[in-house]
Amino acid sequence: MENSLTNGNISETDFGNSVKATVYATDNSSSCFLSNSNTTTDATVTFRGNTFTVPAWSVSLLPDCRTEEYNTAKVNVQTSIMVKRENKAEDEPEALKWVWRAENIDDALLGKSNVSANELIDQKIAADDASDYLWYMTRLDLDQNDPVWSDDMSLRINGSGHVIHAFINGEHIGSHWATYGIHNDKFETSIKLKPGKNIISLLSVTVGLQNYGKNYDKWHAGLVGPIEVIGRKDDETIIKDLSSHKWTYKVGLHGWDNRFFSEDSLFASASKWESDQLPINKMFTWYKTTFKAPLGLDPVVVDLQGMGKGYAWVNGQNLGRIWPSYNADEDGCSADPCDYRGEYTDTKCVTNCGKPSQRWYHVPRSFIEDGVNTLVLFEEIGVIHHK
C-alpha cells in the first residue's frame, strides 16, 4: 500500500451526494479510499463489483481496492471504566501528616537584585527558560505635591495574559490571570502609596509558552507594559508611566533554588519545616508529606483537588505544573448525545463545564520507591483545603 500511495497515479470517482472514491494506482497495485462527506446520511455504494456501506462523515480504507480494512466511524471505543481507588498500602494511615515551610520572598518585596534595566524586559529573555517565575521590581518616590498623588490611585499593569501577583511596600494588593486565549491583558487595582519611597514588586508567572501559530516565537511573555500609576481628582485623570523606570529583576523562587522538593537538599531535615498550625489559603507555601508505595502494579494518580496553583514532586521528580482551581467555563455543555460528524469546532461534545481543568495527576511507577515516598507541593495562590 505504501508504494501505491507514494508512487501511484491518483484518480477520483464521484458517486454524488458528497460520496467519492479515490484511487492510488501503480502498474502493480492499487489502494482506495471511499469517503462520505455528508454529515447526516450514510451511503451504500457499489465499487469495482463490491458493495460498501460508508457511514456519514467517514472514510473507508481499502488497501487492495476490494476489501475494507478500516473505517473512521467504525473504530471500537474503550469499554472498560477507569476506577480510582484509595491507596491500600499496608498500614497506611487514613490521613497524611503534613509539614510546611513559607517561601522566602523578602528580597523581592524589598526590591533587592543585582540585575536591572531602565525598561521592561520580555520574560523569555530575562528568565531564559530557567523558571516560570520572574520578579519585576521598581522604586517609586512620590511626594504629596506630585500631580499623580490623590486619594484615588490605582496601578495598571499590561501583561501577556499569564499570571501576575502584585505587591506594594510588602503588601499583597492583588493577583490576576486572563481567561484562556487572551494574550494581551490589563490588570488594574486600587493602591495606597506613602509619601517618599515606595517599592513595587510584581511576580510574573508563565504557564507554558506558545509553540504554534503565526510568528509564535515573537509573542511576548511577562509584563509587556506599560505599567502605570493612575491618579484621579474630580474629573481629572493623571497617568505616570513607570515603564522606563529602573527595574530590577529576580528569576525563580528561593525554595526552588534550594531544592525544597528534594531529600538531598540542605532544607530536607524535619527541623527545617513547621508541623504546627498548618496554613490554608496562604500564598507561596511549601507542603511536604510521606506515603507508602501503593500495592500492585496499577497506574498511580494523586488527587490534588483543593490545591490552588503551583507544582508537585514525588521523591524529587517533578509532576509538572498544577492548577486544580482553574475551572472550565460554566457554559457550553449539553445533555444531547455527542456527535462529532461535520466540521470540527471547539464547542462540540464539551464536558465537565464548571469543573477543574485537571484534578488527577499521574505519578509514574518509576518515580515510586519501595517503602516510604515523599510528596512535596508548592502552593502559589493559596489552597482551599488539604486532602
Side-chain angles (χ1 to χ4, degrees):
M1 182 175 180
E2 179 179 352
N3 183 56
S4 300
L5 295 180
T6 56
N7 298 304
N9 295 316
I10 305 173
S11 61
E12 281 192 351
T13 301
D14 191 339
F15 296 101
N17 198 27
S18 300
V19 181
K20 292 181 179 181
T22 304
V23 179
Y24 294 77
T26 67
D27 292 338
N28 301 317
S29 63
S30 60
S31 299
C32 300
F33 296 87
L34 302 179
S35 61
N36 181 2
S37 300
N38 196 297
T39 59
T40 58
T41 306
D42 296 344
T44 300
V45 298
T46 300
F47 177 68
R48 294 194 175 184
N50 295 309
T51 302
F52 301 93
T53 298
V54 187
W57 201 256
S58 75
V59 177
S60 292
L61 169 61
L62 287 64
D64 58 1
C65 290
R66 293 188 299 273
T67 305
E68 178 188 290
E69 292 291 340
Y70 177 82
N71 176 271
T72 56
K74 301 176 184 177
V75 178
N76 291 329
V77 298
Q78 179 178 332
T79 56
S80 59
I81 299 176
M82 182 169 59
V83 177
K84 303 179 184 72
R85 299 187 299 270
E86 294 183 358
N87 183 4
K88 296 298 183 181
E90 186 177 1
D91 299 327
E92 182 71 68
E94 292 185 3
L96 298 175
K97 183 178 180 181
W98 293 89
V99 293
W100 66 280
R101 181 183 175 91
E103 168 69 14
N104 186 345
I105 60 174
D106 292 346
D107 284 350
L109 298 184
L110 294 173
K112 292 183 178 180
S113 178
N114 296 323
V115 180
S116 65
N118 293 325
E119 62 178 334
L120 295 169
I121 302 177
D122 188 291
Q123 185 163 346
K124 289 187 294 186
I125 297 172
D128 195 23
D129 208 26
S131 174
D132 285 349
Y133 299 91
L134 176 66
W135 287 96
Y136 291 72
M137 302 163 285
T138 193
R139 170 175 168 168
L140 176 61
D141 292 300
L142 280 183
D143 61 50
Q144 293 179 324
N145 294 320
D146 193 293
V148 81
W149 186 276
S150 78
D151 294 329
D152 181 11
M153 287 189 289
S154 62
L155 179 67
R156 179 187 295 161
I157 305 167
N158 288 267
S160 59
H162 290 220
V163 179
I164 303 169
H165 303 296
F167 299 80
I168 290 185
N169 298 325
E171 297 294 327
H172 179 236
I173 60 170
S175 297
H176 175 78
W177 45 87
T179 55
Y180 178 76
I182 303 298
H183 303 290
N184 292 285
D185 190 48
K186 292 181 181 180
F187 169 48
E188 186 169 347
T189 185
S190 297
I191 59 174
K192 295 290 185 182
L193 300 177
K194 61 184 182 182
K197 181 179 74 172
N198 296 270
I199 301 297
I200 299 175
S201 303
L202 309 174
L203 180 59
S204 174
V205 189
T206 54
V207 190
L209 298 175
Q210 188 79 12
N211 61 359
Y212 66 93
K214 184 179 180 180
N215 297 322
Y216 74 86
D217 55 317
K218 297 180 181 179
W219 288 25
H220 294 291
L223 308 185
V224 296
I227 297 177
E228 303 161 321
V229 172
I230 301 169
R232 299 173 180 84
K233 301 174 184 177
D234 300 324
D235 294 333
E236 184 180 20
T237 299
I238 305 296
I239 297 177
K240 180 183 285 290
D241 191 345
L242 307 182
S243 304
S244 297
H245 272 221
K246 179 181 179 181
W247 288 88
T248 55
Y249 297 89
K250 185 177 184 296
V251 178
L253 301 170
H254 174 266
W256 199 307
D257 293 342
N258 288 278
R259 296 176 57 81
F260 284 5
F261 48 81
S262 173
E263 289 303 290
D264 296 329
S265 167
L266 296 175
F267 293 84
S269 65
S271 63
K272 301 289 187 178
W273 296 74
E274 302 287 337
S275 58
D276 297 330
Q277 298 179 335
L278 190 71
I280 60 174
N281 297 320
K282 180 178 174 61
M283 299 177 66
F284 306 129
T285 305
W286 294 81
Y287 298 92
K288 182 164 70 170
T289 190
T290 58
F291 65 94
K292 291 185 178 180
L295 300 178
L297 299 175
D298 290 335
V300 177
V301 295
V302 56
D303 181 2
L304 293 179
Q305 186 179 32
M307 290 291 295
K309 177 184 180 297
Y311 275 84
W313 293 262
V314 169
N315 295 327
Q317 301 284 348
N318 196 337
L319 301 185
R321 302 179 183 94
I322 61 172
W323 202 344
S325 64
Y326 192 95
N327 290 340
D329 289 340
E330 294 283 350
D331 301 325
C333 291
S334 172
D336 296 334
C338 175
D339 186 352
Y340 277 108
R341 293 179 300 181
E343 294 184 6
Y344 171 79
T345 70
D346 59 5
T347 61
K348 281 190 174 182
C349 302
V350 177
T351 59
N352 294 324
C353 291
K355 295 182 180 179
S357 56
Q358 186 172 352
R359 169 182 173 180
W360 307 92
Y361 291 80
H362 178 226
V363 184
R365 279 278 180 177
S366 60
F367 289 5
I368 298 176
E369 301 172 356
D370 294 336
V372 178
N373 295 264
T374 302
L375 171 65
V376 175
L377 306 175
F378 172 64
E379 176 54 54
E380 178 186 320
I381 63 177
V383 300
I384 302 169
H385 59 268
H386 282 291
K387 283 196 172 184

